[in-house]
Amino acid sequence: QVQLVESGGGLVQAGGSLRLSCAASGRTLSGVAMGWFRQAPGKDRAFVAAINWSGAATTYADSVKGRFTISRDNSNNTMYLQMNSLKPGDTAVYYCAAAEIGALTRNYYDMNYWGKGTLVTVSS
């Protein structure tokens, strides 16, 4: 079975930076799209960023454009989310996900594999 494990979450002050990692095991995910989603307390899970199979194409939620950068290292079977200029509104559990298609997608229903999440808390 494919397993995705997030890491890098923690407590950071507003304006700070954090880098999340998502390590995949079970099989190589170099041929599929991947993405990041987040869920704040009392809210539904929301799209954050996605990347196509090669890393050449990316897309972001409007709320994080210009602040977050998604990337991947297919040789290491790992995806990253660099988060800069963090705001209290970014506080959430962040989940990585992998699809079974290679094309860029923002849809949760295209994601067949999910990690258990890592908590990011941004203080004022």
Side-chain angles (χ1 to χ4, degrees):
Q1 291 287 337
V2 173
Q3 293 186 358
L4 303 175
V5 180
E6 303 93 339
S7 62
L11 175 64
V12 63
Q13 292 185 338
S17 298
L18 211 59
R19 188 180 75 161
L20 305 183
S21 298
C22 175
S25 62
R27 72 175 181 92
T28 298
L29 297 179
S30 60
V32 301
M34 299 183 71
W36 290 94
F37 295 76
R38 66 187 183 186
Q39 187 167 21
K43 297 184 178 180
D44 293 333
R45 189 170 300 187
F47 169 79
V48 176
I51 190 166
N52 79 329
W53 71 273
S54 70
T58 60
T59 184
Y60 299 89
D62 288 342
S63 59
V64 306
K65 284 182 178 179
R67 300 189 298 119
F68 290 11
T69 302
I70 188 171
S71 62
R72 67 191 300 167
D73 182 354
N74 284 338
S75 67
N76 200 37
N77 221 23
T78 303
M79 179 179 63
Y80 305 94
L81 184 68
Q82 178 66 47
M83 305 184 295
N84 298 326
S85 301
L86 284 162
K87 304 174 181 179
D90 296 320
T91 295
V93 176
Y94 284 71
Y95 300 88
C96 69
E100 289 192 347
I101 60 173
L104 190 67
T105 178
R106 300 165 62 103
N107 302 317
Y108 70 90
Y109 49 80
D110 285 328
M111 304 297 180
N112 290 332
Y113 309 104
W114 293 86
K116 294 182 179 180
T118 185
L119 177 63
V120 173
T121 303
V122 184
S123 65
S124 300

